[in-house]
Amino acid sequence: MTTPNYQLFSLGSNPELASEVAKLLNKDLSIVDIKQFADNEIYERIEETVRGCDVYVLQGISSPVNDNFMKLMIFIDAARRASAKTINVVIPYFGYARSDRKARSREPISARLIANMLESQGVKRVITIDLHTDQLQGFFDIPVDHLLAMPTLAHYFYEHKLLGDDLVVVAPGHSSFSRARKLAEILHAEWAVVDHRVSQLNPDAPFGVTGNVLGKRAILLDDIIDTGQSILFASRALKAAGVFEIYAVASHAVLSADSVSKLKQADLRQIIVTNTIEIPKEKQLDNLIQVSVAYPFAEAIRRVDAFESIEDIMKSPDNLDVKL
Amino acid sequence: MTTPNYQLFSLGSNPELASEVAKLLNKDLSIVDIKQFADNEIYERIEETVRGCDVYVLQGISSPVNDNFMKLMIFIDAARRASAKTINVVIPYFGYARSDRKARSREPISARLIANMLESQGVKRVITIDLHTDQLQGFFDIPVDHLLAMPTLAHYFYEHKLLGDDLVVVAPGHSSFSRARKLAEILHAEWAVVDHRVSQLNPDAPFGVTGNVLGKRAILLDDIIDTGQSILFASRALKAAGVFEIYAVASHAVLSADSVSKLKQADLRQIIVTNTIEIPKEKQLDNLIQVSVAYPFAEAIRRVDAFESIEDIMKSPDNLDVKL
Amino acid sequence: MTTPNYQLFSLGSNPELASEVAKLLNKDLSIVDIKQFADNEIYERIEETVRGCDVYVLQGISSPVNDNFMKLMIFIDAARRASAKTINVVIPYFGYARSDRKARSREPISARLIANMLESQGVKRVITIDLHTDQLQGFFDIPVDHLLAMPTLAHYFYEHKLLGDDLVVVAPGHSSFSRARKLAEILHAEWAVVDHRVSQLNPDAPFGVTGNVLGKRAILLDDIIDTGQSILFASRALKAAGVFEIYAVASHAVLSADSVSKLKQADLRQIIVTNTIEIPKEKQLDNLIQVSVAYPFAEAIRRVDAFESIEDIMKSPDNLDVKL
Amino acid sequence: MTTPNYQLFSLGSNPELASEVAKLLNKDLSIVDIKQFADNEIYERIEETVRGCDVYVLQGISSPVNDNFMKLMIFIDAARRASAKTINVVIPYFGYARSDRKARSREPISARLIANMLESQGVKRVITIDLHTDQLQGFFDIPVDHLLAMPTLAHYFYEHKLLGDDLVVVAPGHSSFSRARKLAEILHAEWAVVDHRVSQLNPDAPFGVTGNVLGKRAILLDDIIDTGQSILFASRALKAAGVFEIYAVASHAVLSADSVSKLKQADLRQIIVTNTIEIPKEKQLDNLIQVSVAYPFAEAIRRVDAFESIEDIMKSPDNLDVKL
Amino acid sequence: MTTPNYQLFSLGSNPELASEVAKLLNKDLSIVDIKQFADNEIYERIEETVRGCDVYVLQGISSPVNDNFMKLMIFIDAARRASAKTINVVIPYFGYARSDRKARSREPISARLIANMLESQGVKRVITIDLHTDQLQGFFDIPVDHLLAMPTLAHYFYEHKLLGDDLVVVAPGHSSFSRARKLAEILHAEWAVVDHRVSQLNPDAPFGVTGNVLGKRAILLDDIIDTGQSILFASRALKAAGVFEIYAVASHAVLSADSVSKLKQADLRQIIVTNTIEIPKEKQLDNLIQVSVAYPFAEAIRRVDAFESIEDIMKSPDNLDVKL
Amino acid sequence: MTTPNYQLFSLGSNPELASEVAKLLNKDLSIVDIKQFADNEIYERIEETVRGCDVYVLQGISSPVNDNFMKLMIFIDAARRASAKTINVVIPYFGYARSDRKARSREPISARLIANMLESQGVKRVITIDLHTDQLQGFFDIPVDHLLAMPTLAHYFYEHKLLGDDLVVVAPGHSSFSRARKLAEILHAEWAVVDHRVSQLNPDAPFGVTGNVLGKRAILLDDIIDTGQSILFASRALKAAGVFEIYAVASHAVLSADSVSKLKQADLRQIIVTNTIEIPKEKQLDNLIQVSVAYPFAEAIRRVDAFESIEDIMKSPDNLDVKL
């Protein structure tokens, strides 16, 4: 008699990413029957025994966020009742993450609510990537293996030989400042900031851009592209400031509403995002490139299962240097 | 300094029912700002102070069930953080109630999951009506004030003088048996059952109908009308068995999928349902009548607030007799 | 150094069943010293180390239910403090199961209370059989491996060649309806219902029996035989309706009060029950037959320990067919 | 609209004490319907609304301890589901209190188990008297209002003018040492100890009695009289040591097994106990006197309800002095 | 009989602030006896009854942080066991707040640990001021009334007529950016940033200062002054960039280690901090000014007790404008 | 792939004991980086992966108790978040253990608070030695492996051939009575008690000493030596009663305040304590002997890890007999 192996499930938010992860792990995805009725009620049944197994379930809390979240919760209930040994949730995109504090009285902190609901039903571990703020880890009492997309995004520029002295990493606003600085370090580039409030207070500053960008190639870096508004604003400011060409880079491509039309207006050389959110055909712009985070997720699962540290995966910028 | 009064909120699943309840209570609905973004993520902010208040929030877990449920959960989080004294949820339709047991291995018990999530976030009381099975009360540790729609439904027949010796209450299948018996008692009618398995085993029995229905007016009673399938089947069997005219009666009008077309085929005199679920215009058939359960909900809230027993509301069939 | 094997304990409610289960598993029952003082206070001490062991403890919540339940709770406390790895309770008869909803205001839901107390002290799994209603599974958040007695009961009829065209399975009332239908399917028999309210409303119906029973052999099927009242009533109705001979069949033989005298009056060919409750000598009627459910319990424990699915055990009717 | 008053319930362990307490509080006992079936299963229904009420329920965990404890638990479940505001349990005798530590490996700590079960079902407060060890208070996280029987017991000696220079308070063993010292202080008496191990190690000491007892009247003080064994032993030693007459005094009269015959052999002037445990007729020896603790319980309930400190009740020895 | 009033306790971290708060509330501080033994073990006893009271306890988690935190926890335990109605903790300085995420593998999130410990022992509310990051609110499930020190700090400049066109608010590093912007808005001033990494990447920029500061008076704003290092660095950069005079402003004056000597070197006009941390005599520099946050704390307590919204307290910048 | 081995950490309260334990187990202590800042705030980082490991962390809650306790709590948080399989705390000295009951109204029960905080953060097991009272085990729901120092202390007397007919074990007060009796049994000695209240009530008794001590060598046994006061008092009484020489023996050497000077005055032959508390140089009197409890701790860890019973370790007095 031997201990059962772990099992990997996918609930439908990211079928391609799940397949890639499974392939990297040399696993077949285990089967769960999911039905959704006319009123959106979800039915699930796990088709294979999970008794005594470590279960990993990949499901993003991306559009439609509430349906996708409830699919995850119902799966957790079924797996727990079916005597799974542990339930580990792999969440490529953590919806509601931006509701992480009360900015005004009587607001919810929905990200904590999501954390509470997961934890209260017996989830043992969360594996996720590029949370909106690092403090979200503290919304959980269970272990959170927090991966970083930056090595994967940075690797794109190495791989396509896009580095150079004329490269500048630009934060499209105050809150992306430290991300931009970090990427600049990895790419041996300078950095700059676009801040629309800068222009108000320093009216003489050219177009609200702080830093030397004239004649350069700019990487506009954000964690989420949602409405596309700030990318559009920042790209206009950069062009006006004499930037030669712009790459928009982000971890999570929410691409809501009319973001596509805004991104078209933004005159971008390329838009480089990861596949933490599956992008529907009609939003796949010609200049949109999706780089896959299957490797960090697969490697994290492999190491967690093998009781190895995942610290290296998150430090990978160093590995990138070596590849140069 | 006085203790604050209670407050009543509505989150959008049943705006008309909420208004009726508020009117019966002589209260204004308190205001909560709700936004839903393109990816379905929900934002809420309670616009008035709830500090120290008993909060009652009316929200059905009806279509779209996951969005409506998350609106409720997020409201609860906001109200708790805003120092509400107690949070009482008023749920006209309890979605996922039919997932109340594991019929097969590795199924979830989603109704318990819903109960857990509500309870874990600090809800103090659930007020609801006609749960799919009575055992659902035991899925909660907090008090459940479980109202009954039957008095309201029965009242319709008294009010419109539809009683008589030729009335028979019919269960459209095994699981509605005891409901039908109870309504028959209240209406001083006989009862019968339509069961498609009856016809298989007793091939000589006329059309799978048990009981004396020839030449009678039948009330076909179920707790939920979902796909309309069993109503259609039962009405055909009844017509074949010589029923004169048929009233379909149910507590909850889920009316999913192509239920409307099936109900049209069913040749029903009237379809009488409550307003626990708001029915969209395009599904409001000419012979569909919605009776309101605003009174039992309002009265339950009033009594809970006044520390009175709600037992009488649920016993109201006796009151009906008096009205005759 | 190797991981300890699992251990099996018996606390005294069902000594024979426990021995049978142990024998089927090739295990010795581990020893626990139990004393009960004059005021009923219970003392227990586990005599062998359970450190790191999966512990299975077999104890029914049968008469005297409170003493037997407290024996179980105290054992759980001792095992947890003694560093058992997991505590799995095997409950042949789940007392208080009929208190599963509030039928009237201000009643308890004692079955949920029992579930809460077990769960709050660290029980990891419940293995039980034929719960009064399936919804009781949802009273637990931990896994419930819910076995079925029907295959074992059905097997008795196959084994003793009691099948035939003249066999009809009869529900002695409304609530046993679906059980009767299921057994009828397994035994390829017809089914019928005895319902005393039937006779009131359909006075012309012969003796309140629905279905064709004249000249047949009837299996009267219930989940519990408690006072014997409904068996007595139903058997009289069946005899009056021309039934040739009657077998009373039930999962749990509570046999309280003067049930024995009622069963004697009932003129039954045989009374076939399982051994989920140990029947005292003085209640063992001549025509009472106890079939053992040791096999499903032992097989469930074996599979749980071996991380195998228990789905097949519960599907076993199919196996029965094969044996024909 | 006014806040409901508190309610007082009695579940049957101590009907007389409950009546006395109610009378002192000028309250009628509220009504709960309790039935116990042949297999000991308990059914309860609270007959009056408790919605919004502070509920006080008096029930000792005395013989039959498990039945009495389950009556309490089931009441708690019913009261919680019936929307009681708070549930306060008044426990005259806390059964299982002597199982307060693991004296040997793999023993339970049943007193903590009892505390856990009460607390997990929502009890808000415990009012009890003379716990076996003070540390039991720390088995609870909720407030424990721990009353003392000593003032009541001491009062008996004041009231009957039994004080005097010839009075000595004797501990019948090591563990009653500090109780005896305290009573000696209150009664302005000397103290002594009987310890059977004393006699083994100091074979010259007269009969294992430490202290000056010759020609005196002795009060033999214990917290529980259970088997009567230690009272019998100690009284013999005292008589041999020249004690003139002996009063046995204890808080809790468990009086199990053949304690009555032992107490008869012990040649005691009087046996003075409280009514924390209802003593059956056949055990009421002629020289047995029950003093009532209704006053401290009633006064504690009154003060808890009035938000007053109960510290004075427990300090009452001082009051006694005043009464002299 | 009336409901008891609330009570206010102080445990010793901030005796003066507590007195001021009490005075503003027209309350006497209730008495708690606190002793600390040679091995630092703490003993506390609440000297007045708190039964049924809302208890507010003011205790900062400031130096010595662990002793002060344990004083708070032990008080909470005593108050809960003494039947306090609610326990509300008022924490002027929330120690460990900077440990709010895992910056590296295998770090703790101590701020969440502090939150967990408070919450697990029954605290009902936290009132605090200027948390290190807003996300800390989400570490709690209970209400956090999060006050802001900025109105009080801003008021100082209004009151002493220090406003003017030559005023610039400067962030001494990236993480203080948004605070600085907000204060600049309130004071109708411009803003600037000192960032030592700026100078590395933009070597031509004068001294790493972004923004127009030449000849101006600068307010150097941080949330905590701990080692004084960043204030020293920033002040040098500002002087080099031609700033005329500098005010260092911060909410929390941790002033650890040799911060005093660094602040002396920094050539500051004034150092303006609040009294969330009691500053020992030897660290009270001549140019150090402590403004009191007693008002927002007192007003928050008053409103919480009166069930009023505290939103206005936190919006108070508007009030300041009016005072001009 | 193999399961990781267990790891042993030491947080600084008892570095030498930890080394001894590690050596006995043939383990290296794993590394944790601990810093404490000027305001006492603690930072920790575990330097090696603990993913999937059973972690044992040795940390006494001894002086400075609050700092040492918080070091333990913060370690637990880090280890849990770092995916340790289980966290087992090894506590040589359990601070706050004497706060185990409410002796007066409105006192805390700090020992339960400590237990709660440990348990709430996911500790799975406590290994400790000589708790102040046995009932403290019941403050935990998790397993407590409670070791005894007495075998180790007794062994000292065997090893140094200090036994004999002239040996008497003396309790320096009432509460040490049963400890003294037990040691007397192991050493085949007589016992006695010194009680200052004895002398008050029995003024003729020589110096408050009960038992035969004249001309004997006395072992004065307590569980803790804190202020040294009771040792000093008892030793004087013993000398006056004609004792020849005195050994003071205790499990835990708190040695607070001016205990050293009191112990010097006490004229003791030897002071024999264990190393559950690390004694600073300046308190190491010439006649102070520390015997190590590394063996029982190491053996307990070894057995827990090997799933063996630890019962024998605690029974070791029997082994001692054998050694004679």
Side-chain angles (χ1 to χ4, degrees), chain D residues 311, chain E residues 33 43 45 47, chain F residues 101-108:
Chain D
E311 200 175 7
Chain E
D33 177 24
Y43 168 84
R45 182 170 181 266
E47 297 284 336
Chain F
R101 69 194 190 287
K102 288 172 66 173
R104 302 173 60 199
S105 288
R106 283 165 260 120
E107 283 185 346

Side-chain angles (χ1 to χ4, degrees), chain E residues 149-163:
Chain E
M150 200 171 284
T152 303
L153 292 168
H155 185 255
Y156 179 83
F157 288 87
Y158 279 94
E159 196 182 20
H160 293 82
K161 309 210 182 295
L162 294 167
L163 305 193

Side-chain angles (χ1 to χ4, degrees), chain A residues 87-306:
Chain A
I87 302 168
N88 306 271
V89 299
V90 181
I91 303 181
Y93 176 70
F94 197 97
Y96 286 108
R98 287 172 287 183
S99 174
D100 60 356
R101 69 193 189 287
K102 288 172 67 172
R104 302 173 61 198
S105 289
R106 282 164 260 121
E107 283 185 346
I109 304 185
S110 303
R112 173 68 195 263
L113 175 67
I114 296 289
N116 278 358
M117 290 196 276
L118 287 168
E119 207 163 320
S120 71
Q121 294 311 302
V123 166
K124 193 198 160 191
R125 169 192 315 288
V126 172
I127 300 176
T128 188
I129 195 162
D130 270 26
L131 287 168
H132 182 58
T133 49
D134 285 343
Q135 283 77 12
L136 286 187
Q137 298 169 54
F139 286 16
F140 289 92
D141 276 329
I142 52 171
V144 176
D145 290 320
H146 185 208
L147 306 173
L148 300 177
M150 199 172 284
T152 303
L153 292 169
H155 185 255
Y156 179 84
F157 288 87
Y158 280 94
E159 194 182 21
H160 293 83
K161 309 208 178 295
L162 294 168
L163 306 193
D165 286 351
D166 61 339
L167 197 65
V168 59
V169 182
V170 183
H174 159 69
S175 64
S176 308
F177 200 32
S178 53
R179 278 176 208 274
R181 269 208 294 230
K182 197 167 240 171
L183 183 59
E185 259 178 65
I186 297 174
L187 301 181
H188 305 295
E190 289 195 10
W191 58 263
V193 186
V194 177
D195 192 313
H196 68 284
R197 277 171 289 193
V198 171
S199 52
Q200 294 172 332
L201 287 161
N202 293 322
D204 302 334
F207 306 99
V209 178
T210 302
N212 180 13
V213 300
L214 181 67
K216 294 201 168 180
R217 290 177 303 130
I219 295 175
L220 207 42
L221 179 72
D222 219 337
D223 74 321
I224 297 175
I225 301 181
D226 186 347
T227 62
Q229 183 74 48
S230 63
I231 292 287
L232 176 57
F233 173 87
S235 66
R236 281 176 179 163
L238 289 175
K239 285 283 167 162
V243 159
F244 174 62
E245 67 181 11
I246 305 175
Y247 300 82
V249 176
S251 308
H252 305 295
V254 171
L255 301 184
S256 69
D258 55 348
S259 57
V260 168
S261 88
K262 278 185 188 138
L263 290 176
K264 278 179 186 164
Q265 293 170 47
D267 188 15
L268 303 164
R269 177 84 169 88
Q270 288 184 331
I271 305 163
I272 299 141
V273 296
T274 79
N275 57 348
T276 57
I277 297 175
E278 191 123 321
I279 302 177
K281 275 275 154 59
E282 68 275 16
K283 291 187 176 175
Q284 294 189 358
L285 290 166
D286 290 346
N287 60 342
L288 180 88
I289 289 154
Q290 269 193 296
V291 294
S292 178
V293 289
Y295 171 75
F297 277 115
E299 184 63 10
I301 292 170
R302 191 193 64 72
R303 292 186 183 205
V304 166
D305 180 61

Side-chain angles (χ1 to χ4, degrees), chain F residues 140-201:
Chain F
F140 289 92
D141 274 331
I142 51 171
V144 176
D145 289 321
H146 185 207
L147 307 172
L148 300 177
M150 199 172 282
T152 303
L153 292 168
H155 186 255
Y156 179 83
F157 287 87
Y158 279 94
E159 194 181 20
H160 293 83
K161 309 208 179 295
L162 295 168
L163 305 193
D165 285 351
D166 60 341
L167 198 64
V168 60
V169 182
V170 183
H174 159 69
S175 63
S176 309
F177 199 31
S178 53
R179 278 177 209 274
R181 267 208 295 230
K182 198 168 238 169
L183 183 59
E185 258 178 65
I186 297 174
L187 301 182
H188 305 294
E190 289 195 11
W191 58 263
V193 186
V194 177
D195 191 314
H196 68 283
R197 275 171 290 195
V198 170
S199 53
Q200 295 174 331
L201 287 161

Side-chain angles (χ1 to χ4, degrees), chain D residues 100-102 105-106 112 116 134-135 137-141 174 177 181 191 195 197 201 311, chain F residues 100-102 105-106 112 116 134-135 137-141 174 177 181 191 195 197 201 309 311:
Chain D
D100 61 355
R101 69 193 191 288
K102 287 172 67 173
S105 288
R106 282 165 259 121
R112 172 68 194 262
N116 278 359
D134 285 342
Q135 282 77 11
Q137 298 168 55
F139 286 14
F140 288 93
D141 275 330
H174 158 68
F177 199 31
R181 268 207 295 230
W191 57 263
D195 192 313
R197 275 171 291 193
L201 287 161
E311 200 175 7
Chain F
D100 61 355
R101 69 194 190 287
K102 288 172 66 173
S105 288
R106 283 165 260 120
R112 173 66 195 263
N116 278 359
D134 285 343
Q135 283 77 11
Q137 298 168 55
F139 286 14
F140 289 92
D141 274 331
H174 159 69
F177 199 31
R181 267 208 295 230
W191 58 263
D195 191 314
R197 275 171 290 195
L201 287 161
S309 171
E311 200 176 8

Side-chain angles (χ1 to χ4, degrees), chain D residues 11-26:
Chain D
L11 302 184
S13 67
N14 299 59
E16 289 183 32
L17 175 58
S19 298
E20 285 180 63
V21 168
K23 205 172 161 190
L24 286 168
L25 290 167
N26 271 323

